[in-house]
Short mmCIF file of all heavy atoms in Angstrom, two decimals:
data_model
loop_
_atom_site.label_atom_id
_atom_site.label_comp_id
_atom_site.label_asym_id
_atom_site.label_seq_id
_atom_site.Cartn_x
_atom_site.Cartn_y
_atom_site.Cartn_z
N LEU A 26 101.53 60.08 124.02
CA LEU A 26 100.22 60.68 123.74
C LEU A 26 100.39 62.07 123.12
O LEU A 26 101.35 62.79 123.42
CB LEU A 26 99.40 60.80 125.03
CG LEU A 26 99.05 59.51 125.76
CD1 LEU A 26 98.42 59.83 127.12
CD2 LEU A 26 98.10 58.68 124.91
N GLY A 27 99.41 62.45 122.27
CA GLY A 27 99.42 63.80 121.74
C GLY A 27 99.02 64.80 122.81
O GLY A 27 98.21 64.51 123.69
N GLY A 28 99.57 66.00 122.76
CA GLY A 28 99.23 67.04 123.73
C GLY A 28 97.88 67.68 123.42
O GLY A 28 97.44 67.74 122.26
N ASN A 29 97.23 68.17 124.44
CA ASN A 29 95.95 68.85 124.26
C ASN A 29 96.16 70.25 123.69
O ASN A 29 97.15 70.92 124.00
CB ASN A 29 95.21 68.97 125.59
CG ASN A 29 94.81 67.63 126.15
OD1 ASN A 29 94.53 66.70 125.40
ND2 ASN A 29 94.82 67.51 127.48
N GLY A 30 95.17 70.71 122.87
CA GLY A 30 95.22 72.08 122.36
C GLY A 30 94.81 73.06 123.43
O GLY A 30 94.00 72.75 124.32
N GLY A 31 95.37 74.24 123.40
CA GLY A 31 95.01 75.27 124.38
C GLY A 31 93.67 75.92 124.05
O GLY A 31 93.24 75.97 122.90
N ASN A 32 93.00 76.43 125.06
CA ASN A 32 91.72 77.13 124.87
C ASN A 32 91.95 78.52 124.32
O ASN A 32 92.96 79.16 124.62
CB ASN A 32 90.96 77.22 126.19
CG ASN A 32 90.59 75.87 126.75
OD1 ASN A 32 90.44 74.91 125.99
ND2 ASN A 32 90.44 75.78 128.07
N GLY A 33 90.98 79.00 123.55
CA GLY A 33 91.03 80.38 123.09
C GLY A 33 90.73 81.34 124.22
O GLY A 33 89.96 81.03 125.13
N GLY A 34 91.32 82.51 124.18
CA GLY A 34 91.07 83.50 125.22
C GLY A 34 89.74 84.21 125.02
O GLY A 34 89.24 84.35 123.90
N LYS A 35 89.15 84.66 126.10
CA LYS A 35 87.89 85.39 126.03
C LYS A 35 88.11 86.78 125.45
O LYS A 35 89.13 87.42 125.71
CB LYS A 35 87.28 85.51 127.43
CG LYS A 35 85.95 86.26 127.47
CD LYS A 35 85.41 86.38 128.88
CE LYS A 35 84.12 87.18 128.89
NZ LYS A 35 83.55 87.33 130.25
N GLY A 36 87.13 87.26 124.66
CA GLY A 36 87.22 88.61 124.11
C GLY A 36 87.01 89.66 125.17
O GLY A 36 86.34 89.43 126.18
N GLY A 37 87.60 90.82 124.94
CA GLY A 37 87.45 91.92 125.89
C GLY A 37 86.07 92.56 125.81
O GLY A 37 85.36 92.46 124.82
N ARG A 38 85.70 93.24 126.86
CA ARG A 38 84.39 93.90 126.96
C ARG A 38 84.40 95.21 126.17
O ARG A 38 85.45 95.82 125.96
CB ARG A 38 84.08 94.19 128.43
CG ARG A 38 82.67 94.65 128.74
CD ARG A 38 82.46 94.70 130.25
NE ARG A 38 81.11 95.00 130.62
CZ ARG A 38 80.65 96.22 130.86
NH1 ARG A 38 81.47 97.27 130.78
NH2 ARG A 38 79.38 96.41 131.21
N GLY A 39 83.19 95.62 125.72
CA GLY A 39 83.06 96.92 125.07
C GLY A 39 83.39 98.05 126.03
O GLY A 39 83.50 97.84 127.24
N GLY A 40 83.52 99.25 125.51
CA GLY A 40 83.97 100.38 126.31
C GLY A 40 82.85 101.20 126.93
O GLY A 40 81.68 100.86 126.84
N ILE A 41 83.26 102.27 127.56
CA ILE A 41 82.35 103.27 128.14
C ILE A 41 82.36 104.48 127.20
O ILE A 41 83.43 104.96 126.81
CB ILE A 41 82.78 103.69 129.55
CG1 ILE A 41 82.88 102.45 130.47
CG2 ILE A 41 81.81 104.71 130.13
CD1 ILE A 41 81.57 101.75 130.69
N ILE A 42 81.16 104.96 126.85
CA ILE A 42 81.08 106.10 125.93
C ILE A 42 80.33 107.24 126.62
O ILE A 42 79.21 107.06 127.11
CB ILE A 42 80.35 105.71 124.63
CG1 ILE A 42 81.07 104.54 123.94
CG2 ILE A 42 80.25 106.89 123.68
CD1 ILE A 42 80.36 104.01 122.72
N GLU A 43 80.96 108.39 126.63
CA GLU A 43 80.33 109.61 127.15
C GLU A 43 80.20 110.61 126.01
O GLU A 43 81.19 110.92 125.34
CB GLU A 43 81.18 110.21 128.28
CG GLU A 43 81.30 109.30 129.50
CD GLU A 43 82.21 109.90 130.57
OE1 GLU A 43 82.89 110.92 130.29
OE2 GLU A 43 82.26 109.35 131.68
N ILE A 44 78.97 111.08 125.79
CA ILE A 44 78.72 112.06 124.72
C ILE A 44 78.34 113.38 125.36
O ILE A 44 77.35 113.49 126.08
CB ILE A 44 77.59 111.58 123.79
CG1 ILE A 44 77.96 110.23 123.16
CG2 ILE A 44 77.32 112.61 122.70
CD1 ILE A 44 76.87 109.65 122.27
N TYR A 45 79.15 114.40 125.08
CA TYR A 45 78.88 115.75 125.56
C TYR A 45 78.32 116.54 124.37
O TYR A 45 78.99 116.71 123.35
CB TYR A 45 80.16 116.41 126.07
CG TYR A 45 80.77 115.68 127.26
CD1 TYR A 45 81.64 114.61 127.07
CD2 TYR A 45 80.46 116.06 128.56
CE1 TYR A 45 82.19 113.93 128.15
CE2 TYR A 45 81.01 115.39 129.65
CZ TYR A 45 81.88 114.33 129.44
OH TYR A 45 82.42 113.66 130.51
N VAL A 46 77.07 116.99 124.50
CA VAL A 46 76.40 117.62 123.37
C VAL A 46 75.93 119.01 123.74
O VAL A 46 75.37 119.24 124.82
CB VAL A 46 75.22 116.75 122.89
CG1 VAL A 46 74.23 116.48 124.00
CG2 VAL A 46 74.53 117.37 121.69
N ALA A 47 76.20 119.97 122.85
CA ALA A 47 75.74 121.34 123.04
C ALA A 47 74.23 121.41 122.84
O ALA A 47 73.66 120.62 122.07
CB ALA A 47 76.45 122.28 122.07
N PRO A 48 73.54 122.33 123.51
CA PRO A 48 72.07 122.40 123.42
C PRO A 48 71.55 122.51 121.98
O PRO A 48 70.55 121.89 121.64
CB PRO A 48 71.73 123.64 124.24
CG PRO A 48 72.85 123.77 125.22
CD PRO A 48 74.08 123.31 124.48
N ASP A 49 72.23 123.30 121.13
CA ASP A 49 71.72 123.48 119.77
C ASP A 49 72.02 122.29 118.87
O ASP A 49 71.61 122.26 117.70
CB ASP A 49 72.30 124.76 119.15
CG ASP A 49 73.83 124.79 119.19
OD1 ASP A 49 74.43 123.80 119.65
OD2 ASP A 49 74.41 125.80 118.76
N ALA A 50 72.73 121.29 119.38
CA ALA A 50 73.04 120.11 118.58
C ALA A 50 72.33 118.85 119.07
O ALA A 50 72.48 117.78 118.48
CB ALA A 50 74.55 119.87 118.57
N GLU A 51 71.54 118.98 120.14
CA GLU A 51 70.90 117.80 120.72
C GLU A 51 70.00 117.06 119.74
O GLU A 51 69.94 115.84 119.72
CB GLU A 51 70.11 118.20 121.97
CG GLU A 51 70.98 118.55 123.16
CD GLU A 51 70.15 118.90 124.38
OE1 GLU A 51 68.90 118.93 124.25
OE2 GLU A 51 70.73 119.15 125.45
N LYS A 52 69.27 117.83 118.91
CA LYS A 52 68.34 117.16 118.00
C LYS A 52 69.04 116.38 116.90
O LYS A 52 68.40 115.61 116.18
CB LYS A 52 67.39 118.19 117.38
CG LYS A 52 68.03 119.20 116.45
CD LYS A 52 66.97 120.13 115.89
CE LYS A 52 67.55 121.14 114.92
NZ LYS A 52 66.51 122.02 114.37
N TYR A 53 70.36 116.55 116.78
CA TYR A 53 71.11 115.84 115.74
C TYR A 53 71.81 114.58 116.28
O TYR A 53 72.61 113.98 115.59
CB TYR A 53 72.15 116.76 115.10
CG TYR A 53 71.55 117.97 114.43
CD1 TYR A 53 71.73 119.25 114.96
CD2 TYR A 53 70.79 117.84 113.28
CE1 TYR A 53 71.18 120.36 114.36
CE2 TYR A 53 70.23 118.94 112.67
CZ TYR A 53 70.43 120.20 113.21
OH TYR A 53 69.87 121.29 112.60
N LEU A 54 71.48 114.21 117.51
CA LEU A 54 72.11 113.03 118.08
C LEU A 54 71.83 111.77 117.27
O LEU A 54 72.61 110.81 117.29
CB LEU A 54 71.63 112.82 119.52
CG LEU A 54 72.32 113.67 120.59
CD1 LEU A 54 71.58 113.55 121.91
CD2 LEU A 54 73.77 113.25 120.74
N ALA A 55 70.71 111.76 116.54
CA ALA A 55 70.39 110.59 115.71
C ALA A 55 71.42 110.36 114.61
O ALA A 55 71.46 109.28 114.01
CB ALA A 55 69.00 110.75 115.10
N GLN A 56 72.24 111.35 114.34
CA GLN A 56 73.27 111.19 113.31
C GLN A 56 74.49 110.43 113.82
O GLN A 56 75.40 110.13 113.04
CB GLN A 56 73.70 112.57 112.77
CG GLN A 56 72.62 113.22 111.92
CD GLN A 56 73.06 114.54 111.33
OE1 GLN A 56 72.42 115.57 111.55
NE2 GLN A 56 74.13 114.54 110.57
N LEU A 57 74.50 110.13 115.11
CA LEU A 57 75.56 109.29 115.66
C LEU A 57 75.04 107.85 115.76
O LEU A 57 74.07 107.58 116.47
CB LEU A 57 75.99 109.78 117.05
CG LEU A 57 76.54 111.21 117.13
CD1 LEU A 57 76.93 111.52 118.57
CD2 LEU A 57 77.73 111.40 116.20
N ASN A 58 75.66 106.97 115.03
CA ASN A 58 75.30 105.55 115.08
C ASN A 58 76.43 104.80 115.79
O ASN A 58 77.55 104.73 115.28
CB ASN A 58 75.11 105.01 113.66
CG ASN A 58 74.71 103.55 113.66
OD1 ASN A 58 73.94 103.11 114.50
ND2 ASN A 58 75.26 102.80 112.73
N ILE A 59 76.14 104.26 116.97
CA ILE A 59 77.20 103.71 117.83
C ILE A 59 77.07 102.19 117.94
O ILE A 59 76.00 101.66 118.21
CB ILE A 59 77.13 104.35 119.22
CG1 ILE A 59 77.36 105.87 119.10
CG2 ILE A 59 78.15 103.73 120.15
CD1 ILE A 59 77.19 106.62 120.40
N ASN A 60 78.18 101.52 117.72
CA ASN A 60 78.27 100.06 117.90
C ASN A 60 79.36 99.80 118.94
O ASN A 60 80.55 99.96 118.67
CB ASN A 60 78.61 99.40 116.56
CG ASN A 60 78.60 97.89 116.65
OD1 ASN A 60 78.64 97.32 117.73
ND2 ASN A 60 78.55 97.24 115.51
N ASN A 61 78.93 99.41 120.13
CA ASN A 61 79.85 99.21 121.25
C ASN A 61 79.86 97.72 121.60
O ASN A 61 79.04 97.25 122.38
CB ASN A 61 79.40 100.06 122.43
CG ASN A 61 80.38 100.03 123.58
OD1 ASN A 61 81.47 99.46 123.47
ND2 ASN A 61 80.02 100.66 124.68
N SER A 62 80.76 96.97 121.00
CA SER A 62 80.70 95.51 121.10
C SER A 62 81.94 94.95 121.80
O SER A 62 83.00 95.58 121.89
CB SER A 62 80.58 94.89 119.71
OG SER A 62 81.74 95.16 118.95
N GLY A 63 81.76 93.72 122.27
CA GLY A 63 82.88 92.98 122.84
C GLY A 63 83.73 92.34 121.75
O GLY A 63 83.31 92.20 120.60
N GLY A 64 84.94 91.95 122.13
CA GLY A 64 85.85 91.31 121.18
C GLY A 64 85.48 89.85 120.95
O GLY A 64 84.84 89.21 121.78
N ALA A 65 85.92 89.34 119.82
CA ALA A 65 85.66 87.94 119.49
C ALA A 65 86.52 87.03 120.37
O ALA A 65 87.64 87.38 120.76
CB ALA A 65 85.94 87.68 118.02
N GLY A 66 85.99 85.87 120.68
CA GLY A 66 86.76 84.89 121.42
C GLY A 66 87.88 84.31 120.57
O GLY A 66 87.77 84.20 119.34
N GLY A 67 88.98 83.92 121.20
CA GLY A 67 90.11 83.34 120.47
C GLY A 67 89.80 81.95 119.93
O GLY A 67 88.99 81.21 120.50
N LYS A 68 90.44 81.59 118.86
CA LYS A 68 90.26 80.26 118.29
C LYS A 68 90.91 79.21 119.18
O LYS A 68 91.88 79.48 119.88
CB LYS A 68 90.84 80.22 116.88
CG LYS A 68 90.13 81.14 115.90
CD LYS A 68 90.76 81.04 114.52
CE LYS A 68 90.05 81.96 113.53
NZ LYS A 68 90.67 81.87 112.17
N ALA A 69 90.36 78.02 119.09
CA ALA A 69 90.89 76.92 119.91
C ALA A 69 92.14 76.33 119.28
O ALA A 69 92.28 76.29 118.05
CB ALA A 69 89.82 75.84 120.06
N GLY A 70 93.06 75.88 120.12
CA GLY A 70 94.24 75.18 119.63
C GLY A 70 93.90 73.76 119.21
O GLY A 70 93.01 73.12 119.78
N LYS A 71 94.64 73.25 118.25
CA LYS A 71 94.39 71.90 117.76
C LYS A 71 95.15 70.87 118.59
O LYS A 71 96.21 71.14 119.14
CB LYS A 71 94.81 71.80 116.29
CG LYS A 71 93.98 72.69 115.37
CD LYS A 71 94.42 72.53 113.92
CE LYS A 71 93.58 73.42 112.99
NZ LYS A 71 94.02 73.27 111.58
N ALA A 72 94.56 69.69 118.64
CA ALA A 72 95.17 68.61 119.41
C ALA A 72 96.44 68.10 118.73
O ALA A 72 96.55 68.09 117.50
CB ALA A 72 94.19 67.47 119.57
#
């Protein structure tokens, strides 16, 4: 019989982000565009 393909591994979780902002820069926080995403899942192995 042919062997089964292995499963892809799960992607890792996004991180923790801490933003320390000075008082005179608070109104400019909109200039930070943050994308905090998880990793893609691994591809499946072929049979």
Side-chain angles (χ1 to χ4, degrees):
L26 298 172
N29 295 328
N32 297 333
K35 180 181 178 180
R38 190 172 185 268
I41 303 296
I42 302 175
E43 297 177 350
I44 301 177
Y45 298 86
V46 57
D49 54 3
E51 287 182 357
K52 67 179 182 179
Y53 299 111
L54 279 170
Q56 289 183 237
L57 300 181
N58 181 39
I59 298 175
N60 185 343
N61 187 5
S62 64
K68 296 181 180 179
K71 296 181 180 180

